[in-house]
Every structure is written in C-alpha cells, then in structure tokens.
Amino acid sequence: MQIDKIRGHQMDQLFKAMLELKDLDECYEFFDDLGTISELQSLAQRLEVAQMLMTKMTYDKIQSETGASTATISRVRRCVDYGSGGYGKVLGRLYASENEEEAEK
C-alpha cells in the first residue's frame, strides 16, 4: 500500500478530521480552508474518472467529459485495478446510497 509510506500522526489527524464532518456544507468549509481550488478540483476529477472507469467508459469518452489527461486517467486506472480498493469501496457506498434514495422516491 502506498499510504504506508506516509502513515503517521499528521495523516491520522487529517483523516480523523474528515470523519468528523457532518454534512456537505461542513465539507465545503473544511476543504475550502484545506486546499486550493485547483487541488480540490483535481481530487474531484480523479474520483469522477474512477467512477467512469468502473462503468467501463473509454479513455476518449472520459477525457472529453472530464478534461482529464490520459496520464491522469492511466494513474487512476492503476489504482482502480491494483490499488488498495478505496475507490471501489467509496463509490460502491456512494452509489448504493444514491440508489436507495431514488428507490424511496
């Protein structure tokens, strides 16, 4: 796991802080203070690329819809295929909860 290289007090504190966020407004406030707009957009883009890769979209389609470079798409692909499973876990939960909300309507 790559994260083992940076595991420690500072990362623990960051992740614990994220777990304390209660809603989207709190997330926006925290991340606005934490990173630049460009950094946050880059993270959001990577998550979107991962979701698109998991739904078997082509690199061309992903690139045209997200503006991500082929290098970014390839890096995210490696993480999706051979990483720690974080993308799959988060996206599975995110879309499971969205599907449950849709079913309730």
Side-chain angles (χ1 to χ4, degrees):
M1 289 175 44
Q2 285 185 358
I3 200 72
D4 287 336
K5 295 175 185 172
I6 59 171
R7 188 179 298 273
H9 169 73
Q10 289 179 338
M11 291 302 293
D12 287 353
Q13 180 175 277
L14 173 63
F15 295 149
K16 287 176 183 177
M18 289 178 182
L19 292 171
E20 291 299 319
L21 299 169
K22 305 280 190 256
D23 56 32
L24 281 175
D25 287 335
E26 286 189 6
C27 287
Y28 275 101
E29 292 165 359
F30 178 68
F31 282 95
D32 183 43
D33 290 343
L34 186 64
T36 66
I37 291 172
S38 179
E39 290 167 336
L40 298 176
Q41 288 172 328
S42 178
L43 293 172
Q45 182 186 63
R46 288 179 183 185
L47 186 61
E48 180 70 9
V49 167
Q51 189 274 328
M52 295 171 93
L53 286 167
M54 293 173 84
T55 60
K56 308 298 184 200
M57 286 192 177
T58 65
Y59 276 39
D60 287 339
K61 180 94 169 149
I62 294 169
Q63 190 172 24
S64 69
E65 289 191 20
T66 66
S69 68
T70 55
T72 295
I73 298 169
S74 294
R75 185 194 184 293
V76 173
R77 161 63 68 196
R78 279 192 304 277
C79 291
V80 167
D81 290 346
Y82 307 110
S84 300
Y87 280 127
K89 192 174 294 178
V90 168
L91 290 169
R93 290 175 186 168
L94 177 66
Y95 287 101
S97 66
E98 285 184 8
N99 290 337
E100 289 170 10
E101 288 174 12
E102 288 295 317
E104 290 175 6
K105 289 181 182 178

